[in-house]
């Protein structure tokens, strides 16, 4: 680390020349030229740093090419459009390019999809040399100031006024009011008087006066160059100006006020006998509020060595000592009378004196160039420099123990432009106040990175950031750790992250909070209607004092198989903030579902809507259908993509085996479904009444699995078994198994998502039942040959290989082997679930009432006998289970003893 005391002491005793010669041997140079390794083919246009793809690594635009930064390792060349600078004109969060060269235009950034040209009004200038973005009229959209140089005479400046991110209007066409027309070279904007609007400094050439335009807050300006002492007081040949090429704003003395460096090209006295040397560059110190923000010329003591062809300056704290240093290009290799010229790096000594460290820091032997811009392209905490077709990488170790912080700002797009151009950040360090501004244009047509860089010297933090936003509002962010990048929005930012632990009636909503404070309140809205304001949502809750980072909350009381939206919201003193978009999720289904209203004989539709939480037509929910104006239920469904039964079970609570049982009349004009109408990851069954063919569409691949007698006049029963564990499914037609172990279309997706049965305008679908147990009249599957239904074993014991659930096992130790429990339809894991009569009592007349335990999805029969050794005769059959118990009355013969028993019905 180089101390200010060392350089100042050396200068005081007159050893500056000797120290400069020895410097390369005393310590390593800060900069290493790594152009060939990192960015071969870099162009010698001007330089504009900007993170166009939002990956936190600034990319480089040289006019000829856009160099995409590959995480600080190297750069990839992309096409360029001519000399330009970065600004987000449409507030979409992506940096766009304003192109000065040729026909001026804006290239809109399409978020990784290239750039699209936006036509601009015809400018009154042909030769443009300088431009900057800033929100001059405070409407939250950045405008563009363009300087006109020379083309058969001086060219006028212009302002392109941004109209809400849609187009630009040309406002100044003949120069600003009362200005005259001069040869403009550079322009840069700054709120130097801290009144909440962007002022402008224009660098004019040909010994013309420069312009300091003070903004009145609405985008109109007053020339205050003379009034604020920002003029050139030294007269040369009767003129009151200089050859200013580029200028740069920056707080050079750490008093919290942004100063101005005016870079002048100056011919020597020998060039024009009888005249003095032309005016040299100015250091204009901003006197702040106490001095009415007037400027004081400090160039006499600054210590800049005279060179004739100084051109484009760039300010940046390359050594992280807290002071802004100056890099200054030259555009003559050999100036008048053979005097060599070369770009210079001046280190700021913190006392309005500057030391030439060009050779010591490894940026010597440079040629003529207008290119100069700073950025920490590799995110290692120190500024790197691009100039003279070279990328100089700053060696982080050279800054010693100096600390740093990088601040990336984002406006809200409502009151402040998204790129936060014009915002200022202040950091108080003892008696000093460091200030940096987000600027889009400096020097002559160059641009430093929009991410602000502070060197902090030996201050190890934490620090407080005081932010002056371009709309005049002030925000403070305290306890910020150093040696890091921090992203600060004008307001708290919140995003919807994910939804986890979804069940039929509950879910966990997760989000992420980014707050400029230690904590902030977050409100979460959710409901079945999507919206972006508080009135749209049925439910909400507040999570108070959330700290930065992830948060989550559990919600309950949801409706099964329903599509929900949720949206996170937060606010602070600067406004409100919604997450960018709503998130959506669907609750799981309740099994079993049974749509019982048979539509075959009555000729009416079934009533799906509202059954067990199932709904007709919600997006991504359990059932969706195109009703064709026929009312509720699945009726007259047509088109394969819309006449579907959706089965959207998900989450940890979903069973592995799901049975779907339904009836269908395909329709007299049904045809096999066109594969183009089918969605991927689906299983679709189509019955063609003409051919009798069952076509199974799995994804977009049709499989013919059999021929059946399926005339269009008959209701055909389809039974489908989906196995999520093996990702396979089976098909029965009218209780006959015609396909086994068909694979899901995508083995990586555990979703048996769509079932359709027709593609006609007069087809019907009805009597849909969905359960996790086999319909009683479908023969069970026993692939492991243990006389037990494989689904039954999986349902109760998790697999068919478990030792429980086999012959001779009694899992619940109730005295009934598991095989007996299976045949009886009882629960093998519950010793209170027995196929036994619980109670008997007489009813009116000769009836008797029987009550027994029953199990879901089973059917029972009551048998009687007058002699236990004789035959058992069924008196009531096919009794649907009503768990947990069934109660049925039977008629008895008076004065005749009768025995009763319960068995599974058929």
């Amino acid at each position: 680390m180089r101390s200010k005391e060392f350089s100042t002491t050396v200068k005081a005793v007159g050893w500056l020349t000797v120290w400069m010669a020895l410097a390369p041997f005393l310590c390593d140079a800060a900069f290493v030229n790594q152009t060939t390794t990192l960015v071969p083919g870099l162009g010698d246009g001007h330089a504009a740093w900007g993170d166009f793809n939002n990956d936190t690594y600034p990319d480089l635009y040289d006019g000829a090419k856009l160099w995409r930064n590959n995480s600080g390792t190297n750069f990839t060349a992309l096409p360029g459009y001519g000399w330009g600078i970065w600004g987000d004109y449409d507030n979409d969060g992506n940096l766009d390019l304003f192109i000065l060269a040729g026909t001026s235009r804006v290239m809109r950034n399409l978020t990784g999809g290239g750039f699209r040209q936006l036509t601009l009004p015809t400018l009154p200038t042909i030769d443009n040399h300088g431009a900057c973005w800033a929100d001059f009229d405070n409407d939250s959209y950045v405008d563009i100031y363009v300087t006109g140089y020379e083309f058969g005479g001086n060219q006028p400046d212009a302002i392109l006024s941004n109209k809400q991110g849609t187009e630009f209007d040309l406002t100044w066409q003949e120069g600003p009011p009362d200005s005259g027309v001069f040869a403009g070279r550079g322009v840069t904007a700054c709120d130097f008087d801290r009144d909440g609007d962007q002022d402008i400094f224009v660098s004019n050439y040909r010994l013309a006066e420069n312009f300091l335009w003070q903004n009145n807050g609405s985008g109109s300006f007053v020339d205050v160059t003379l009034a604020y002492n920002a003029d050139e007081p030294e007269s040369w040949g009767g003129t009151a100006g200089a050859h200013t090429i580029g200028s740069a704003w920056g707080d050079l003395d750490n008093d919290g006020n942004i100063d101005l460096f005016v870079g002048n090209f100056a011919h020597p006295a020998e060039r024009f006998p009888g005249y003095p040397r032309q005016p040299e560059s100015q250091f204009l110190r901003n006197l702040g509020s106490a001095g009415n923000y007037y400027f004081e010329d400090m160039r006499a003591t600054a210590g800049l060595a005279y060179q004739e062809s100084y051109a484009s300056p760039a300010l940046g704290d390359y050594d992280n000592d807290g002071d802004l240093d100056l890099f200054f290009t030259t555009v003559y290799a050999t100036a008048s009378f053979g005097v060599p010229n070369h770009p210079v790096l001046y280190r700021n000594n913190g006392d309005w004196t500057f030391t030439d460290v060009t050779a010591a820091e490894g940026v010597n032997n440079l040629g003529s160039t207008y290119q100069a811009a700073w950025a920490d392209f590799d995110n290692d905490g120190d500024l790197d420099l691009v100039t003279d077709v070279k990328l100089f990488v700053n060696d982080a170790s050279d800054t010693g123990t100096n600390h740093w912080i990088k601040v990336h700002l984002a406006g809200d797009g409502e009151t402040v432009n998204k790129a936060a151009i014009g915002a200022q950040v202040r950091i108080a360090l003892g008696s000093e106040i460091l200030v940096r501004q987000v600027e889009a244009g400096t020097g002559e047509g160059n641009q430093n990175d929009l991410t602000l860089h502070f060197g902090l010297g030996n201050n190890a933090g934490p620090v407080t950031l005081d932010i002056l936003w371009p709309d005049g509002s002030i925000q403070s962010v305290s306890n910020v750790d150093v040696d890091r990048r921090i992203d600060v929005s004008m307001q708290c930012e919140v995003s919807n992250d994910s939804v986890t632990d979804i069940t039929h009636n509950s879910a966990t909503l997760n989000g992420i909070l980014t707050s400029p404070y230690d904590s902030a309140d977050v409100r979460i809205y959710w409901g079945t209607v999507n919206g972006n304001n508080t009135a749209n949502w049925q439910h909400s809750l507040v999570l108070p004092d959330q700290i930065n980072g992830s948060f989550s909350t559990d919600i309950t009381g949801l409706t099964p198989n329903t599509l929900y939206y949720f949206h996170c919201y937060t606010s602070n003193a600067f406004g409100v903030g919604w997450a960018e978009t709503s998130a959506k999720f669907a609750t799981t289904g309740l099994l079993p579902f049974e749509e019982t209203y048979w539509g075959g004989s009555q000729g009416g539709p079934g009533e799906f809507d509202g059954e067990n939480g199932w709904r007709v037509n919600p997006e991504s929910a359990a059932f969706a259908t195109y009703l064709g104006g026929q009312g509720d239920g699945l009726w007259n469904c047509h088109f394969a993509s819309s006449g579907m039964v959706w089965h959207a079970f998900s989450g940890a609570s979903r069973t592995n085996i799901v049975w779907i049982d339904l009836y269908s009349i395909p329709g007299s004009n049904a045809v096999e479904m066109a594969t183009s109408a089918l969605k991927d990851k689906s299983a679709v069954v189509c019955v063609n009444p003409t051919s009798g063919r069952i076509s199974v569409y799995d994804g977009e691949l049709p499989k013919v699995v059999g021929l059946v007698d399926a005339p269009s006049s008959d209701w055909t029963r389809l039974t489908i078994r989906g196995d999520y564990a093996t990702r396979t499914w089976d098909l029965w037609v009218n209780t006959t198994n015609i396909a086994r172990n068909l694979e899901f279309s995508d083995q990586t997706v555990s979703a048996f998502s769509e079932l359709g049965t027709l593609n006609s305008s007069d087809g019907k679908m009805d009597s849909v039942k969905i359960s996790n147990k086999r319909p009683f009249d479908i023969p069970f599957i026993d692939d492991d040959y243990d006389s037990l239904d494989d689904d039954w074993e999986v349902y109760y014991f998790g697999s068919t290989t478990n030792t429980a659930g086999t012959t001779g096992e009694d899992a619940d130790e109730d005295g009934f082997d598991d095989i007996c429990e299976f045949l009886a339809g009882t629960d093998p894991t519950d010793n209170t679930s027995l196929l036994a009569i619980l109670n008997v009592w007489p009813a009116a007349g000769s009836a008797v009432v029987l009550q027994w335990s029953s199990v879901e999805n089973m059917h029972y029969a009551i048998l009687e006998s007058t002699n236990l050794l004789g035959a058992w005769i069924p008196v009531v059959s096919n009794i649907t289970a009503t768990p947990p118990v069934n109660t049925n009355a039977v008629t008895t013969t008076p004065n005749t003893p009768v025995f009763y028993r319960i068995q599974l019905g058929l």
Side-chain angles (χ1 to χ4, degrees):
M1 173 182 174
R2 297 173 184 79
S3 67
K4 298 177 185 177
E5 291 76 8
F6 175 74
S7 61
T8 303
T9 301
V10 170
K11 182 177 179 181
V13 298
W15 287 358
L16 178 59
T17 303
V18 176
W19 184 87
M20 286 299 301
L22 294 177
F25 304 99
L26 297 176
C27 59
D28 294 332
F31 295 97
V32 178
N33 179 3
Q34 294 192 17
T35 312
T36 303
T37 303
L38 302 179
V39 57
L42 177 65
D44 189 24
H46 294 62
W49 291 99
D51 183 8
F52 86 96
N53 57 356
N54 293 323
D55 65 353
T56 76
Y57 287 88
D59 310 289
L60 177 60
Y61 188 69
D62 67 11
K65 295 178 183 177
L66 168 57
W67 296 92
R68 186 184 64 215
N69 189 338
N70 299 318
S71 301
T73 59
N74 55 30
F75 292 80
T76 298
L78 303 175
Y81 308 95
W83 181 8
I85 55 174
W86 297 102
D88 182 4
Y89 88 93
D90 52 0
N91 282 344
D92 67 349
N94 304 301
L95 291 179
D96 313 298
L97 276 168
F98 170 67
I99 306 300
L100 290 75
T103 302
S104 298
R105 59 205 185 278
V106 168
M107 303 303 298
R108 184 188 176 199
N109 186 346
L110 301 180
T111 320
F115 292 82
R116 185 172 63 202
Q117 180 171 312
L118 175 70
T119 301
L120 297 178
T122 301
L123 294 175
T125 175
I126 298 175
D127 189 13
N128 307 324
H129 273 237
C132 70
W133 296 85
D135 181 10
F136 298 124
D137 53 4
N138 280 346
D139 67 348
S140 82
Y141 288 87
V142 286
D143 312 295
I144 307 171
Y145 191 110
V146 189
T147 62
Y149 185 44
E150 297 172 327
F151 192 85
N154 294 340
Q155 296 284 297
D157 295 348
I159 286 183
L160 292 163
S161 180
N162 189 341
K163 301 305 177 185
Q164 303 295 302
T166 60
E167 61 182 358
F168 289 82
D169 283 348
L170 188 61
T171 53
W172 290 357
Q173 299 186 50
E174 295 299 332
D178 303 322
S179 71
V181 176
F182 299 130
R185 296 293 297 261
V187 59
T188 184
C190 176
D191 181 9
F192 78 92
D193 51 4
R194 300 183 62 184
D195 63 353
D197 50 45
Q198 295 299 296
D199 310 299
I200 305 169
F201 188 80
V202 180
S203 301
N204 289 319
Y205 201 61
R206 301 301 179 194
L207 298 175
E209 61 187 78
N210 296 320
F211 293 138
L212 176 60
W213 296 109
Q214 189 177 49
N215 195 335
N216 70 359
S218 62
S220 60
F221 298 87
V222 176
D223 183 358
V224 296
T225 315
L226 289 173
Y228 280 72
N229 301 325
D231 61 322
E232 174 53 65
E234 296 184 6
S235 176
W236 188 93
T239 65
H243 290 302
T244 309
I245 294 179
S247 302
W249 293 98
D251 183 6
L252 296 168
D253 55 359
N254 292 340
D255 65 352
N257 301 305
I258 297 185
D259 311 300
L260 178 63
F261 178 76
V262 181
N264 289 340
F265 183 109
H267 290 301
E270 295 84 353
R271 179 77 178 271
F272 300 97
Y275 291 93
R277 179 189 297 169
Q278 292 178 347
E280 298 180 44
S281 301
Q282 292 176 283
F283 285 94
L284 297 181
R285 179 187 180 191
N286 188 336
L287 299 178
S289 58
N292 198 32
Y293 297 102
Y294 292 167
F295 291 93
E296 178 185 5
D297 192 344
M298 305 292 291
R299 63 182 155 186
T301 59
L304 265 63
Y306 169 75
Q307 291 193 98
E308 180 178 5
S309 64
Y310 280 130
S312 189
L315 294 172
D317 183 6
Y318 81 91
D319 54 0
N320 283 344
D321 66 351
D323 301 317
L324 284 175
D325 308 298
L326 170 66
F327 184 80
F328 203 2
T329 74
T330 55
V331 291
Y332 285 173
T334 301
S336 299
F337 306 101
V339 178
N341 273 208
H342 62 85
V344 184
L345 175 62
Y346 285 101
R347 190 178 69 233
N348 188 343
N349 300 319
D351 57 359
W352 285 104
T353 65
F354 294 80
T355 300
D356 182 347
V357 293
T358 309
E361 301 295 25
V363 288
N364 52 330
N365 300 319
L366 296 178
S368 58
T369 182
Y370 291 98
Q371 186 182 62
W374 298 98
D376 179 13
F377 85 92
D378 50 5
N379 285 343
D380 66 351
D382 50 34
L383 289 175
D384 309 294
L385 176 67
V386 61
T387 186
D388 188 28
V389 208
K390 299 175 180 63
L391 175 61
F392 288 97
V393 179
N394 197 339
D395 180 6
S397 64
D398 192 63
T399 61
T401 58
N402 285 351
H403 297 280
W404 55 275
I405 190 169
K406 291 165 60 172
V407 182
H408 185 80
L409 300 180
D412 58 3
E414 298 294 331
T415 62
V416 169
N417 68 90
K418 271 294 185 70
I421 293 168
Q424 299 178 11
V425 176
R426 284 169 169 74
I427 298 177
L429 298 179
S431 61
E432 294 188 330
I433 300 176
L434 281 62
V435 61
R436 305 285 185 266
Q437 72 159 344
V438 183
E439 59 185 11
T442 191
E444 188 202 44
N446 293 289
Q447 184 173 17
N448 298 323
D449 186 15
L450 294 174
T451 298
L452 303 180
H453 177 272
F454 291 83
L456 301 175
N458 60 7
N459 190 297
V463 297
T464 295
L465 310 178
D466 291 315
I467 304 167
L468 173 63
W469 294 100
D471 65 350
S473 59
I474 299 175
Q475 179 178 351
S476 183
V477 185
S478 58
N479 297 316
V480 179
D481 292 333
V482 303
D483 299 330
R484 55 168 288 199
R485 165 179 162 145
I486 179 173
D487 291 82
V488 181
S489 170
M490 190 181 178
Q491 60 188 33
C492 301
E493 289 187 349
V494 68
S495 60
N496 314 311
D497 184 29
S498 61
V499 184
T500 55
D501 301 323
I502 302 172
T503 70
H504 68 281
N505 68 349
S506 64
T508 299
L509 307 182
N510 308 295
I512 301 173
L513 174 67
T514 304
S515 170
Y517 307 101
D518 293 336
S519 64
D521 292 349
V522 172
R523 183 179 289 271
I524 299 178
Y525 292 88
W526 74 92
T528 56
V529 179
N530 189 12
N532 198 31
N533 60 68
T534 58
N536 290 110
W537 302 95
Q538 296 102 324
H539 310 281
S540 69
L541 58 83
V542 176
L543 306 179
D545 300 324
Q546 293 298 299
I547 62 173
N548 279 323
S550 300
F551 61 86
S552 64
T553 187
D554 298 328
I555 60 172
T556 58
L558 305 179
T559 301
N561 267 2
T562 300
L563 179 68
Y564 281 91
Y565 297 87
F566 88 96
H567 211 162
C568 296
Y569 168 95
T570 187
S571 63
N572 63 11
F574 299 95
V576 300
W578 286 93
E580 186 172 354
T581 58
S582 299
K584 63 183 180 181
F585 65 97
T587 51
T588 59
L590 282 176
L591 293 180
F593 167 77
E594 185 172 350
E595 185 277 308
T596 57
Y597 185 34
W598 173 252
S601 59
Q602 290 87 350
E607 297 291 340
F608 272 127
D609 202 24
E611 292 278 345
N612 269 351
W614 300 78
R615 300 300 307 272
V616 173
N617 235 6
E619 182 184 353
S620 299
F623 285 91
T625 176
Y626 176 71
L627 301 177
Q630 297 292 326
D632 294 334
L634 293 174
W635 184 256
N636 280 1
C637 306
H638 49 90
F639 303 113
S641 60
S642 55
M644 294 289 170
V645 180
W646 280 74
H647 170 211
F649 301 105
S650 61
S653 61
R654 183 192 61 211
T655 58
N656 278 332
I657 305 296
V658 175
W659 289 83
I660 301 178
D661 203 24
L662 55 87
Y663 284 84
S664 170
I665 293 180
S668 60
N669 61 347
V671 295
E672 294 187 28
M673 296 178 182
T675 58
S676 61
L678 303 178
K679 299 179 179 179
D680 195 13
K681 304 172 185 175
S682 63
V684 181
V685 178
C686 178
V687 181
N688 188 304
T690 303
S691 66
R693 176 174 294 175
I694 304 294
S695 295
V696 179
Y697 293 89
D698 200 3
E700 294 185 354
L701 300 176
K703 302 176 183 177
V704 178
V705 298
L707 298 174
V708 297
D709 183 12
S712 61
S713 60
D714 291 347
W715 285 92
T716 299
R717 180 181 176 188
L718 301 174
T719 306
I720 299 168
R721 172 186 180 269
D723 186 341
Y724 287 102
T726 63
R727 312 293 201 273
T728 59
W729 60 288
D730 312 305
L731 173 66
W732 287 258
V733 177
N734 295 328
T735 72
T736 299
N737 180 226
I738 66 169
R740 286 291 311 280
N741 298 321
L742 297 172
E743 292 186 348
F744 282 14
S745 113
D746 186 341
Q747 289 289 297
T748 66
V749 178
S750 58
F752 192 56
S753 60
E754 295 181 5
L755 292 166
T757 59
L758 49 102
N759 186 22
S760 67
S761 59
D762 60 347
K764 300 178 179 68
M765 184 186 301
D766 211 336
S767 193
V768 179
K769 300 176 183 179
I770 301 180
S771 178
N772 44 28
K773 294 184 180 178
R774 171 178 54 86
F776 76 94
D777 55 349
I778 298 294
F780 68 82
I781 298 171
D782 182 21
D783 286 340
D784 58 351
Y785 304 105
D786 61 358
S787 300
L788 295 172
D789 182 352
D790 292 347
D791 290 0
W792 185 87
E793 294 181 82
V794 171
Y795 182 81
Y796 285 111
F797 301 107
S799 71
T800 60
T801 58
N802 196 300
T803 55
T806 59
T807 303
E809 295 288 338
D810 180 12
D812 57 6
E813 299 180 348
D814 61 358
F816 291 87
D817 287 355
D818 293 337
I819 185 67
C820 296
E821 300 255 21
F822 165 65
L823 295 174
T826 54
D827 185 345
T829 64
D830 180 0
N831 58 20
T832 66
S833 173
L834 304 171
L835 191 63
I837 297 173
L838 301 178
N839 205 351
V840 180
W841 63 87
S846 59
V848 64
V849 178
L850 306 177
Q851 189 177 67
W852 69 94
S853 298
S854 60
V855 178
E856 179 184 35
N857 206 37
M858 292 296 176
H859 290 72
Y860 299 95
I862 300 176
L863 284 67
E864 71 175 18
S865 176
T866 58
N867 184 344
L868 289 176
L869 299 179
W872 288 89
I873 302 172
V875 292
V876 184
S877 300
N878 200 21
I879 303 171
T880 301
T882 59
V885 296
N886 269 56
T887 302
N888 276 75
V890 294
T891 302
T892 64
T893 303
N895 302 316
T896 301
V898 178
F899 299 95
Y900 295 95
R901 76 179 185 184
I902 309 297
Q903 76 171 31
L904 289 179
L906 300 175

